[in-house]
Amino acid sequence: MKFSKTQRGMSSSGWMATLAIGGMVLLLVFKMVPYYMDDAAIGQLLENISNRQNIEEASVREIESFISKGMQTNSIRDFDNDTIEVYEADGYMKVDIVYEKRVNIIGNVDVVMSFKHNWQVANQ
């Protein structure tokens, strides 16, 4: 019990360090979460295309139209449509979406997030 008088809690420098780390975590969350939400919407969009009637008979152009309309409906931000590849191969209609998002955090420090989606359905 000799040390109980010297232990009084966290020092002011300890609190400052804790607040700085907490602030950095919040900054990362606020800057990165919107892009992960957009990615989840893209995944849901591809899942919804699978549930459309007669999707097996759709052409490449129709699938591109479905994806484009879904992007507009979901208000997906800052997305380059050139990263969407729709093609027919081996009796399947395939969609590949591979893209990266770069978010500036502080100064010359960036975070790069990579996303990839694949979808396919058998042609008839």
Side-chain angles (χ1 to χ4, degrees):
M1 291 297 169
K2 183 177 176 182
F3 297 109
S4 65
K5 291 183 180 182
T6 59
Q7 295 179 354
R8 300 206 184 246
M10 197 180 317
S11 66
S12 59
S13 60
W15 276 109
M16 292 300 282
T18 301
L19 289 175
I21 291 170
M24 190 63 171
V25 168
L26 282 175
L27 178 69
L28 288 171
V29 166
F30 285 129
K31 288 200 172 199
M32 293 171 61
V33 165
Y35 294 105
Y36 280 102
M37 290 175 61
D38 285 349
D39 184 62
I42 290 170
Q44 186 65 39
L45 171 65
L46 291 176
E47 192 174 306
N48 290 342
I49 290 174
S50 297
N51 297 332
R52 293 184 74 96
Q53 290 182 347
N54 300 326
I55 194 65
E56 305 86 19
E57 300 168 6
S59 68
V60 169
R61 193 171 191 97
E62 289 172 326
I63 300 237
E64 287 173 344
S65 175
F66 295 150
I67 292 172
S68 176
K69 288 176 185 176
M71 295 278 195
Q72 289 175 352
T73 302
N74 290 317
S75 299
I76 295 180
R77 301 174 278 281
D78 191 30
F79 191 83
D80 184 14
N81 286 335
D82 293 336
T83 61
I84 301 171
E85 187 177 348
V86 181
Y87 58 97
E88 292 183 62
D90 303 325
Y92 288 94
M93 179 69 66
K94 296 183 179 191
V95 176
D96 292 332
I97 303 175
V98 180
Y99 64 102
E100 289 184 348
K101 290 295 181 181
R102 180 179 299 266
V103 178
N104 181 273
I105 301 299
I106 297 172
N108 63 350
V109 177
D110 292 345
V111 172
V112 178
M113 297 167 280
S114 298
F115 301 102
K116 182 177 182 179
H117 293 279
N118 297 314
W119 175 84
Q120 69 180 15
V121 66
N123 281 345
Q124 285 191 358

